[in-house]
Structures are given as structure tokens and as C-alpha cells.
């Protein structure tokens, strides 16, 4: 009963702080001039992904449970993509991906590439091909490098896109002129710290609940731990939708997956007992492949809805993302 009360209190605090964090991120987007897409895809996504980093590093170093950490990361990628389908159901008459800029396909495609690299690393390891530099697997180093390159590409793209938009369209009046730049940055920093601490606490509580179920580590990491550490992404994305900042909500989802896969590389660096890739269960290869398929569905939805004329209340891409998540989780559970 006490554990349940802790979970309830933590969830309520995550919701309250997450709503304020979305609003603060919108202010930062205006003050920096980099826009909602960049702030959502890199800055906000980094904040909401830090609980995965903290809990995963603890899993590989203290608990010696690298498979649990990897399951949490890949399960979080699956969960985040399913959230897109949920957001589509609650976004109103207009399709979520129709309201989002088609340029978000860039971050989604980069995420698909990182998922492919992850799947390739697991497949090579399963075939007995161990590529490592010291105790760190080469795929891990490539994941970290690819994230750095992706962040640079996304930043350059947003700078050029916003510069072109200013030339074509008269810029809108600032909404947050009454908020000083220093105060905006301080508020975002404090809310980010609170989000990370609450996310770590929630992940710990989720792990405690998962342990009492007696389920296998792979399923725990892919479902319960992933859902717990992904709650901040859900809250900030829902609040961004409510604020009509769709680009920030969607870019936060795609950006969080980029961060998650870079964090997977960091886990390997922190795992000093050997090559992390040798400890990964075969079922996680399936999780990575399903994540790639779901990301591809989202990319198709972005491009297709950019020229679609109307919608029903439920779109095919949103339903497909939800169905793929449910089907994937069922197969992971059976394994």
C-alpha cells in the first residue's frame, strides 16, 4: 500500500512539473531564437531522457543487470512511438502528423538509422562477430558519434529553415517579452532538474513493482521500466499539444529516441566488466526492428499527411503505431 501511495504521489508530481516544463521550454524556444522544433528535439528530449541514463547506468554498474538496462532503453523507444498514436487520438480533428512540420522526418530518419545500427550490432554479436575497442563495443562508439552528428545536422537544418521562414513571412510578435532571458533559462534549468529527479524516483518505484511480479528481466525492462521512465515524455508532449505547440511535442518524441540510443552507447562505456553487447538478450533485436518499423510508419504519416486534404477522427498511422506496440509487447512477453 505504501508503495502504491509513493507511485501516485510521484506521478502527480511528474504531471505538474512536466506541464510547467513544456511551458518553460516554449519560452526558451523564443528567447534562443532556435524555435520549438530544435528545443523539443534536442533540449527538451535530453531532459526527459535523463531518467533512462541514470537508471540504466545504475543497472549496469550497481545491479550488474545490463540486459535490464538495454530492455529499458529499447522499450522506451517503442513506448515513445506508441505515444504518437495516443497523441493523434487526442489532438482533435486535424491529424497530429499533418499539423507537424514535414521537416521532422529528418530527426525520425536519423533515429531509424541509429536503430538500424543497434540491430546490426546485436545481429553481429549473435553471429559471433565481436567488434570492440578495449571493453567498449564498436557499435556503442558509433551510436554516440552518430548522435553527435545527428544533433549537428538538426541544428544546422533548423537555423537554415528559420532563416528562410523569416525572409518569406513576417515574424510574429514575441509572446514572452515580459519574461527576462536569465529568468527563462533559470526556470527551465530548475524544472529540468526536478523532472530528472522525479523520473529517477518513478523508475525506481517501477522497478520495485516489476520485481514483485516475478516476470523476466527482458519483459520488465521493455514494458514496466520503459513506461515509468517515459512518463515525462508523455506529460510534456500532451501539454505541448494543449499549447498548440505540435512541432515541439512530436520533435520531443523523435529526439528522445535519438537520446535513448546514444545513452545505450554510454551504458557500454559504464559497463567495465566487458562488452555490453555480449550480455544482450536475443529478444531485444526484435524490439529494435519493431521500433524501426514504427519509425518508418511515422515518417510515412508525416509525408502523406503533408498533402492530405481531410481526416477522420482516427488516422491509419496512429492506429498502426498503437497496434504495433501492443503486438510487439505481446511477443516480447511470450519470449
Amino acid at each position: 500500500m505504501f508503495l502504491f501511495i509513493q507511485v501516485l504521489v510521484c506521478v502527480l508530481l511528474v504531471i505538474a512539473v512536466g506541464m510547467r516544463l513544456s511551458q518553460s521550454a516554449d519560452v526558451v524556444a523564443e528567447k534562443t531564437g532556435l524555435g520549438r522544433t530544435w528545443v523539443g528535439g534536442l533540449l527538451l528530449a535530453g531532459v526527459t531522457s535523463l531518467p533512462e541514463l541514470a537508471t540504466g547506468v545504475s543497472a549496469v554498474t550497481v545491479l550488474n543487470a545490463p540486459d535490464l538496462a538495454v530492455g529499458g532503453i529499447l522499450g522506451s523507444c517503442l513506448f515513445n512511438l506508441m505515444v504518437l498514436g495516443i497523441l493523434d487520438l487526442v489532438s482533435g480533428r486535424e491529424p497530429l502528423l499533418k499539423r507537424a512540420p514535414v521537416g521532422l522526418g529528418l530527426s525520425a530518419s536519423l533515429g531509424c538509422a541509429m536503430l538500424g545500427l543497434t540491430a546490426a550490432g546485436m545481429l553481429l554479436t549473435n553471429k559471433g562477430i565481436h567488434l570492440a575497442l578495449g571493453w567498449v563495443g564498436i557499435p556503442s562508439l558509433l551510436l554516440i558519434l552518430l548522435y553527435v552528428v545527428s544533433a549537428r545536422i538538426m541544428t544546422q537544418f533548423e537555423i537554415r529553415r528559420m532563416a528562410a521562414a523569416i525572409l518569406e513571412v513576417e515574424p510574429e510578435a514575441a509572446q514572452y517579452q515580459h519574461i527576462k532571458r536569465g529568468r527563462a533559462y533559470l526556470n527551465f534549468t530548475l524544472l529540468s532538474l526536478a523532472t530528472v529527479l522525479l523520473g529517477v524516483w518513478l523508475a525506481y518505484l517501477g522497478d520495485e513493482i516489476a520485481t514483485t511480479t516475478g516476470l523476466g528481466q527482458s519483459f520488465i525492462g521493455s514494458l514496466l521500466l520503459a513506461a515509468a521512465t517515459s512518463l515525462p515524455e508523455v506529460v510534456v508532449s500532451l501539454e505541448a499539444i494543449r499549447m498548440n505547440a505540435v512541432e515541439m511535442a512530436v520533435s520531443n518524441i523523435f529526439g528522445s529516441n535519438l537520446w535513448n540510443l546514444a545513452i545505450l552507447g554510454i551504458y557500454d562505456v559504464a559497463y567495465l566488466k566487458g562488452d555490453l553487447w555480449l550480455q544482450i538478450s536475443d529478444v531485444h533485436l526484435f524490439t529494435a526492428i519493431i521500433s524501426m518499423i514504427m519509425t518508418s510508419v511515422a515518417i510515412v504519416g508525416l509525408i502523406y499527411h503533408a498533402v492530405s486534404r481531410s481526416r477522420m477522427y482516427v488516422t491509419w498511422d496512429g492506429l498502426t503505431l498503437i497496434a504495433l506496440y501492443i503486438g510487439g509487447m505481446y511477443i516480447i512477453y511470450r519470449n
Side-chain angles (χ1 to χ4, degrees), residues 275-323:
D275 190 347
L276 178 75
W277 297 87
L278 295 173
Q279 311 301 322
I280 300 177
S281 299
D282 294 342
V283 69
H284 297 316
L285 176 59
F286 171 79
T287 308
I289 292 172
I290 290 294
S291 298
M292 291 176 64
I293 296 172
M294 292 176 70
T295 306
S296 299
V297 169
I299 294 171
V300 172
L302 269 173
I303 298 172
Y304 176 79
H305 290 305
V307 295
S308 63
R309 290 177 291 181
S310 61
R311 73 154 284 176
M312 296 184 295
Y313 279 98
V314 180
T315 58
W316 62 267
D317 45 287
L319 288 178
T320 301
L321 290 173
I322 295 173

Side-chain angles (χ1 to χ4, degrees), residues 48 51 60 91 117 123 147 152 163 186 234 246 250 324 326 334:
T48 55
V60 300
S91 64
L117 177 57
L123 183 60
Y147 177 79
R152 178 175 174 80
L186 178 61
V234 177
V246 175
V250 178
L324 284 170
I326 294 173
R334 290 298 299 269

Side-chain angles (χ1 to χ4, degrees), residues 6-328:
Q6 288 185 80
V7 172
L8 180 61
V9 170
C10 188
V11 167
L12 292 175
L13 288 173
V14 168
I15 292 173
V17 173
M19 292 174 64
R20 293 195 61 189
L21 180 63
S22 293
Q23 298 165 0
S24 180
D26 200 35
V27 178
V28 171
E30 179 182 298
K31 297 301 180 181
T32 59
L34 290 171
R36 290 169 166 173
T37 300
W38 185 89
V39 169
L42 292 177
L43 193 59
L44 193 57
V47 171
T48 55
S49 294
L50 284 177
E52 280 95 337
L53 175 62
T55 57
V57 169
S58 174
V60 300
T61 57
V62 179
L63 302 179
N64 192 27
D67 189 60
L68 174 63
V70 174
I73 279 293
L74 294 176
S76 180
C77 290
L78 272 181
F79 190 85
N80 289 342
L81 291 164
M82 186 271 292
V83 169
L84 279 180
I86 300 296
L87 292 177
D88 185 58
L89 294 177
V90 302
S91 64
R93 293 186 60 88
E94 197 77 11
L96 175 71
L97 295 180
K98 181 177 178 62
R99 296 165 61 190
V102 71
L104 287 177
L106 175 64
S107 58
S109 299
L110 291 167
C112 206
M114 293 184 72
L115 283 167
L117 177 57
T118 302
M122 287 188 280
L123 183 60
L124 288 173
T125 303
N126 288 343
K127 295 296 182 180
I129 303 174
H130 308 307
L131 304 174
L133 186 63
W135 76 91
V136 182
I138 296 297
S140 298
L141 299 176
L142 291 177
L143 281 174
I144 297 172
L145 176 62
L146 185 52
Y147 177 79
V148 173
V149 173
S150 298
R152 178 175 174 80
I153 291 173
M154 291 164 60
T155 301
Q156 291 178 336
F157 177 81
E158 278 306 301
I159 291 174
R160 292 169 184 170
R161 185 187 67 82
M162 294 193 68
I166 291 174
L167 293 176
E168 295 176 4
V169 182
E170 187 70 22
E172 298 180 0
Q175 302 180 53
Y176 306 107
Q177 289 181 329
H178 60 288
I179 301 178
K180 295 182 179 180
R181 188 185 300 267
R183 179 187 169 191
Y185 296 162
L186 178 61
N187 286 344
F188 183 82
T189 301
L190 293 177
L191 289 169
S192 297
L193 180 60
T195 300
V196 172
L197 293 177
L198 287 171
V200 172
W201 184 26
L202 184 61
Y204 168 77
L205 294 174
D207 189 39
E208 286 288 305
I209 293 174
T211 301
T212 64
T213 65
L215 298 172
Q217 276 195 351
S218 293
F219 182 70
I220 292 172
S222 296
L223 181 60
L224 300 176
L225 184 59
T229 55
S230 292
L231 184 61
E233 281 96 340
V234 177
V235 173
V236 299
S237 294
L238 284 171
E239 178 63 14
I241 294 291
R242 191 194 67 80
M243 295 165 50
N244 199 32
V246 175
E247 62 270 43
M248 187 162 67
V250 178
S251 64
N252 177 47
I253 297 296
F254 291 144
S256 292
N257 280 4
L258 286 171
W259 268 98
N260 285 346
L261 295 167
I263 288 172
L264 177 58
I266 296 174
Y267 287 171
D268 195 7
V269 176
Y271 186 65
L272 302 179
K273 297 183 179 181
D275 190 347
L276 178 75
W277 297 87
L278 295 173
Q279 311 301 322
I280 300 177
S281 299
D282 294 342
V283 69
H284 297 316
L285 176 59
F286 171 79
T287 308
I289 292 172
I290 290 294
S291 298
M292 291 176 64
I293 296 172
M294 292 176 70
T295 306
S296 299
V297 169
I299 294 171
V300 172
L302 269 173
I303 298 172
Y304 176 79
H305 290 305
V307 295
S308 63
R309 290 177 291 181
S310 61
R311 73 154 284 176
M312 296 184 295
Y313 279 98
V314 180
T315 58
W316 62 267
D317 45 287
L319 288 178
T320 301
L321 290 173
I322 295 173
L324 284 170
Y325 177 79
I326 294 173

